[in-house]
């Protein structure tokens, strides 16, 4: 059709805003590196958008305890409880076995008070212990808590702010481990010894380290997006000591909160931010992670409709409803084999009657948003890895990145596009990407096993 060509050109023009060229990506990388440096330095830390939080997970493990550990994972849409058996294999390496319990977090626990949330957490633990007949055991517990925490030690830290749609009052500024201990005490039907709290990036890195000793970076691209890595102790100015390395939780999701990404943010990004519960915060995360990807696509589709380029210029009630376009649709649409069946089905559930061309345009919109996410995220990781190589004054850096998260694991093309750009931007680095399985639980248990060992070492000294 003659009109087709013209429509596709106009669509392409609108979607071209999402493309980032190499100069753009280098610029994002440099700006992130600058913020990382500011986050690490004492005199600029307060005002830096990237907080670079010390985790107290160090590079010199003291060996680890063996035995049963309980691991909790709070930070996504579900809350998980795991029983992790840490043992030793023939080479005195780690051997890990897990049992899992998955619990949903009701909306009112996500937006109520800290007491309500942690009472729910304690109730889930109690249910899990009951099911596995271990309520009488006082187990060491490792807590994966995937939000920005300023640690004072491995088992103590205050929540700086919520992210990813959580809005629980009375938690920010408080010791999270204390909130958990209080809730367990309130219930009174079991006891736990909370020995470590870690971010999910840290848990992922540790669980991959268990397979590959070169793993010194952990990354999550799921509901949220974040990275941790091993930094030289002498540059972690917030913690005393010069020797060895400490894992730093970058909290890079907040990159851009001080205006560093303004020329890269589009009208859709501004709407997503303004209608979120944490407007003005986590601006880099909002360009990348699964919490926002579907909504970005929905806004792009509405723009195309308003320009009369899609669905005959008419959007359905559902499409006009905030949050109706799930991020998993983006993965499913881009996985369509070419017969448009998947795309057609998804669009009809949204009350639309798409033509073949509509299906193709929707797919292009998904690709634009997810490709930009992959490239933006890649520029960030390249910044971290280049920094590590420079700090270590190494000609060549061979490194493994442990990765987890639904966008990374489930989207059909995110990984490839992401890997390609990371590698393009990191000359002299040889990078292996390792997907973690059950990283949050296993990682928390392994950190706890090391923490227990250190605690008993201290006691027996
Ligand atoms: C949180 C991080 C977390 C990431 C991935 C972000 O919103 O601030 O602490 O690591 O999500 O779950």
């Amino acid at each position: 059709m003659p009109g087709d060509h013209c429509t596709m050109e106009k669509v392409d023009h609108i979607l071209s805003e999402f493309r980032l060229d190499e100069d753009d990506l280098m610029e994002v990388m440099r700006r992130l590196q600058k913020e990382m440096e500011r986050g690490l330095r004492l005199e600029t830390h307060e005002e830096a958008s990237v907080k670079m939080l010390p985790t107290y997970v160090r590079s010199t493990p003291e060996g680890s305890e063996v035995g049963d550990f309980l691991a909790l994972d709070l930070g996504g849409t579900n809350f998980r409880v795991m029983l992790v058996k840490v043992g030793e294999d023939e080479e005195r390496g780690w051997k890990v076995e897990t049992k899992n319990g998955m619990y949903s977090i009701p909306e009112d626990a996500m937006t109520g008070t800290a007491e309500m949330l942690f009472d729910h957490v304690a109730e889930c633990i109690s249910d899990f212990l009951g099911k596995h007949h271990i309520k009488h055991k006082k187990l060491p517990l490792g807590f994966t808590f995937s939000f920005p925490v300023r640690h004072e030690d491995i088992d103590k830290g205050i929540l700086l702010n919520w992210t990813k749609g959580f809005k629980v009052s009375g938690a920010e500024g408080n010791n999270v481990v204390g909130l958990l201990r209080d809730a367990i005490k309130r219930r009174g039907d079991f006891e736990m010894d909370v020995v470590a709290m870690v971010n999910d990036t840290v848990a992922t890195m540790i669980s991959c380290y268990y397979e590959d000793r070169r793993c010194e970076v952990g990354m999550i691209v799921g509901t949220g997006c974040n990275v941790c890595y091993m930094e030289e102790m002498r540059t972690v100015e917030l913690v005393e000591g010069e020797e060895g390395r400490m894992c730093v939780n970058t909290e890079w999701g907040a990159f851009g909160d001080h205006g560093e990404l303004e020329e890269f943010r589009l009208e859709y990004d501004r709407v997503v931010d303004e209608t979120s519960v944490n407007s003005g915060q986590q601006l880099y995360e909002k360009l990348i992670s699964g919490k926002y990807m579907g909504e970005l696509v929905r806004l792009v589709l509405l723009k195309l409709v308003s320009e009369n380029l899609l669905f005959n210029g008419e959007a359905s009630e559902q499409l006009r409803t905030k949050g109706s376009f799930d991020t998993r649709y983006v993965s499913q649409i881009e996985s369509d084999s070419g017969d448009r069946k998947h795309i057609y089905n998804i669009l009809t559930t949204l009350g639309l009657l798409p033509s073949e061309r509509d299906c193709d345009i929707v797919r292009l919109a998904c690709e634009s948003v997810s490709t930009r996410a992959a490239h933006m995220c890649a520029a960030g990781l390249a910044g971290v890895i280049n920094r590590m190589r420079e700090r270590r004054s190494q000609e060549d850096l061979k490194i493994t990145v442990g990765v987890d998260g639904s966008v990374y694991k489930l989207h059909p093309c995110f990984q490839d596009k992401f890997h390609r750009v990371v590698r393009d931007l990191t000359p002299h680095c040889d990078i292996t990407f390792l997907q973690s399985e059950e990283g949050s639980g296993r990682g928390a248990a392994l950190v706890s096993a090391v923490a227990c060992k250190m605690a008993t070492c201290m006691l027996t000294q």
Side-chain angles (χ1 to χ4, degrees):
M1 269 191 281
D4 260 21
H5 183 63
C6 181
T7 302
M8 292 317 270
E9 258 183 18
K10 285 184 186 155
V11 168
D12 184 64
H13 179 68
I14 289 177
L15 298 181
S16 67
E17 282 194 307
F18 281 91
R19 277 175 224 145
L20 298 163
D21 62 23
E22 197 175 330
D23 286 345
D24 294 333
L25 295 171
M26 297 274 274
E27 186 57 31
V28 170
M29 178 175 95
R30 274 192 291 265
R31 286 189 201 172
L32 176 73
Q33 285 180 322
K34 191 167 151 217
E35 274 317 287
M36 287 172 67
E37 183 66 25
R38 280 159 44 79
L40 284 166
R41 297 240 167 268
L42 259 181
E43 73 267 24
T44 42
H45 174 79
E46 266 318 302
E47 70 216 26
S49 62
V50 180
K51 284 291 176 228
M52 306 295 282
L53 302 166
T55 64
Y56 292 80
V57 171
R58 296 171 195 265
S59 55
T60 45
E62 309 284 325
S64 60
E65 286 296 328
V66 292
D68 284 351
F69 292 84
L70 202 72
L72 306 184
D73 178 12
L74 179 67
T77 21
N78 292 309
F79 168 64
R80 294 206 305 165
V81 187
M82 270 159 283
L83 180 65
V84 185
K85 255 186 205 320
V86 179
E88 270 179 359
D89 64 13
E90 302 87 64
E91 282 142 30
R92 304 207 61 203
W94 282 321
K95 196 165 138 243
V96 172
E97 280 169 30
T98 52
K99 284 198 185 102
N100 251 304
M102 178 95 93
Y103 300 88
S104 64
I105 305 170
E107 185 64 29
D108 57 343
M110 261 173 84
T111 51
T113 65
E115 272 196 14
M116 282 159 72
L117 175 66
F118 283 92
D119 280 345
H120 176 68
V121 164
E123 188 184 328
C124 298
I125 303 175
S126 169
D127 175 78
F128 180 86
L129 297 175
K131 276 193 185 133
H132 295 278
H133 313 291
I134 44 172
K135 245 192 184 157
H136 57 284
K137 284 193 182 171
K138 184 175 177 184
L139 294 175
L141 182 149
F143 186 16
T144 300
F145 182 72
S146 313
F147 299 96
V149 167
R150 185 183 302 289
H151 278 263
E152 259 177 50
D153 207 335
I154 185 95
D155 64 347
K156 189 167 184 203
I158 59 157
L159 172 65
L160 293 179
N161 53 272
W162 289 110
T163 59
K164 298 177 283 198
F166 276 70
K167 195 92 195 151
V168 173
S169 62
E172 287 165 340
N174 284 320
N175 174 17
V176 183
V177 173
L179 294 172
L180 174 64
R181 286 194 182 122
D182 290 350
I184 294 176
K185 232 180 255 157
R186 272 197 298 278
R187 268 196 83 80
D189 65 341
F190 65 90
E191 284 186 299
M192 281 291 136
D193 187 10
V194 188
V195 292
M197 172 169 62
V198 287
N199 188 259
D200 51 354
T201 54
V202 182
T204 299
M205 181 187 83
I206 298 292
S207 86
C208 289
Y209 176 79
Y210 153 85
E211 278 171 51
D212 175 348
R213 296 293 143 122
R214 283 192 201 274
C215 184
E216 291 190 272
V217 182
M219 183 179 80
I220 304 285
V221 195
T223 311
C225 179
N226 190 16
V227 154
C228 73
Y229 72 103
M230 297 305 293
E231 177 60 90
E232 310 308 306
M233 262 306 277
R234 69 188 130 81
T235 15
V236 185
E237 291 189 359
L238 272 66
V239 179
E240 272 178 37
E242 305 278 301
E243 291 305 305
R245 295 180 184 143
M246 181 177 278
C247 179
V248 168
N249 167 15
T250 65
E251 285 297 334
W252 79 8
F255 176 46
D257 292 9
H258 296 168
E260 307 93 322
L261 287 168
E262 276 329 283
E263 68 263 44
F264 300 108
R265 293 177 66 232
L266 306 175
E267 55 180 287
Y268 321 102
D269 300 310
R270 292 180 209 285
V271 175
V272 160
D273 178 48
E274 278 154 21
T275 55
S276 69
V277 296
N278 57 348
S279 173
Q281 295 180 343
Q282 301 292 103
L283 298 186
Y284 183 57
E285 173 167 85
K286 284 173 180 160
L287 302 175
I288 299 170
S289 80
K291 173 89 187 152
Y292 312 99
M293 193 181 279
E295 181 63 6
L296 279 173
V297 170
R298 188 185 74 85
L299 294 169
V300 175
L301 299 185
L302 286 182
K303 165 83 175 181
L304 295 168
V305 169
S306 75
E307 300 282 323
N308 208 8
L309 298 167
L310 189 62
F311 308 135
N312 282 323
E314 260 182 70
S316 63
E317 186 66 38
Q318 282 108 306
L319 191 66
R320 273 188 261 114
T321 309
K322 184 184 162 215
S324 61
F325 202 95
D326 284 358
T327 294
R328 77 191 143 92
Y329 294 163
V330 182
S331 294
Q332 287 164 0
I333 286 172
E334 289 189 55
S335 302
D336 188 272
S337 58
D339 61 7
R340 305 184 182 88
K341 229 168 150 181
H342 266 82
I343 310 180
Y344 187 86
N345 288 343
I346 290 170
L347 294 176
T348 48
T349 61
L350 288 170
L352 299 154
L353 252 187
S355 66
E356 287 196 346
R357 192 179 65 187
D358 287 336
C359 291
D360 294 344
I361 293 174
V362 169
R363 184 183 183 131
L364 288 173
C366 291
E367 285 170 1
S368 301
V369 172
S370 66
T371 304
R372 180 188 66 162
H375 290 174
M376 268 287 174
C377 188
L381 185 66
V384 172
I385 291 178
N386 284 330
R387 179 189 164 90
M388 290 173 86
R389 189 176 76 84
E390 282 157 27
R391 289 284 125 178
R392 295 177 186 192
S393 316
Q394 284 175 357
E395 191 112 349
D396 297 290
L397 178 71
K398 194 165 161 54
I399 195 151
T400 297
V401 180
V403 198
D404 207 343
S406 50
V407 172
Y408 184 87
K409 281 185 167 170
L410 304 180
H411 188 282
C413 340
F414 186 94
Q415 273 191 35
D416 286 348
K417 290 179 182 171
F418 171 77
H419 293 167
R420 192 178 52 71
V421 173
V422 175
R423 292 195 169 112
D424 283 353
L425 295 176
T426 51
H428 309 291
C429 298
D430 175 358
I431 308 169
T432 304
F433 292 94
L434 191 60
Q435 276 196 30
S436 99
E437 302 304 328
E438 292 188 339
S440 285
R442 291 186 348 161
L446 294 173
V447 173
S448 308
V450 173
C452 276
K453 179 74 176 184
M454 286 170 75
T456 37
C457 286
M458 278 181 226
L459 287 175
T460 51
Q461 257 167 20

